[in-house]
Amino acid sequence: MEEFARSDLAAECGGEREGEGIRVRKSESGGCRILQVQVRSSEAAKRIGKPEGCYVTLDCGNIRMLEENEFDRVRCALSVEIREMAERMCGKRVGGQFSVLVAGLGNAEITADAIGPETVRRMAVTRHLRRLDHALFSTVGLCEISALVPGVLGQTGLETVELVRGAVKAASPDLVVAVDALASRSVERLATTVQLSDTGIHPGSGIGNSRKALNAETVGVPVMALGVPTVVDSSTLVYDALRRAGYEPQYFSGELHQALKEGKNFFVSPKEIDLLVSSVAVLLAGALEKAFTVRDGEFS
């Protein structure tokens, strides 16, 4: 019955419980509760249904309702986590010689799936400045940033990984950051939780439409995944409601099982999803820019 408990978040798939092959660290920063989950064995990865690697979840409250000072604190806390993970993945410090490609995944024409494109739209890109005017590039205060919105297979006829791989070949970044909308099993996590991981991403996996993976093996450089949940599938909502009411899966009838199976084709998002996506995109773009800010003396 766990087939109905669909989620992209490691924290919702058993990763929040330390055990064999799983190491958990909890902390707080900027008003966020931070959970770091390290999946260290293939057995643990199979148990929670996530690849081996590091997953960091920030629970920051309703992003759209944050006051300006709260928003800034969350942005700073997220930027620290992004920068630390980027430097660990690449084995080098963020500086004037660091290069990152931000890939905004998803369908810009579907609001709940538009976090990636909307984040990229709000970001400053600098790769061209370095080549055209190095002095100007140095004054911007950011490392070399390029960006891509690859769209989806139905729009381009090309797999996302093919487009990102081509951009990597052209830009030669140290790191790809893939920004995408996620699926959660809890409505309370929609637009309130940010997850980043060093394992790459399967575009569309949260809605059962998984495409080819974006990871170091498929694109040639490390891939960090950054996302915020915007949808819950209807079968997951019903499944969790029944579990909270005390109904155990082994007692579900055949008719209920079939109804849950059919519900996997429907997804629920908040009625104010357009406002939520806008606020989330502002947060992610700001955190990425802050994470890849180059401090004085680090340009060359």
Side-chain angles (χ1 to χ4, degrees), residues 2-20:
E2 289 300 316
E3 63 180 299
F4 301 119
R6 177 184 293 164
S7 176
D8 287 320
L9 301 176
E12 291 185 329
C13 297
E16 80 285 359
R17 297 187 297 273
E18 186 147 359
E20 186 175 350

Side-chain angles (χ1 to χ4, degrees), residues 161-215:
V161 66
E162 295 173 324
L163 292 168
V164 174
R165 189 163 53 217
V168 167
K169 184 176 180 180
S172 300
D174 296 296
L175 175 72
V176 171
V177 178
V179 183
D180 202 5
L182 306 178
S184 172
R185 64 183 295 177
S186 168
V187 292
E188 286 77 17
R189 286 191 179 272
L190 300 184
T192 68
T193 299
V194 183
Q195 176 177 271
L196 56 152
S197 73
D198 60 8
T199 61
I201 193 169
H202 282 78
S205 60
I207 61 170
N209 188 30
S210 184
R211 311 308 312 166
K212 293 182 179 179
L214 283 177
N215 53 37

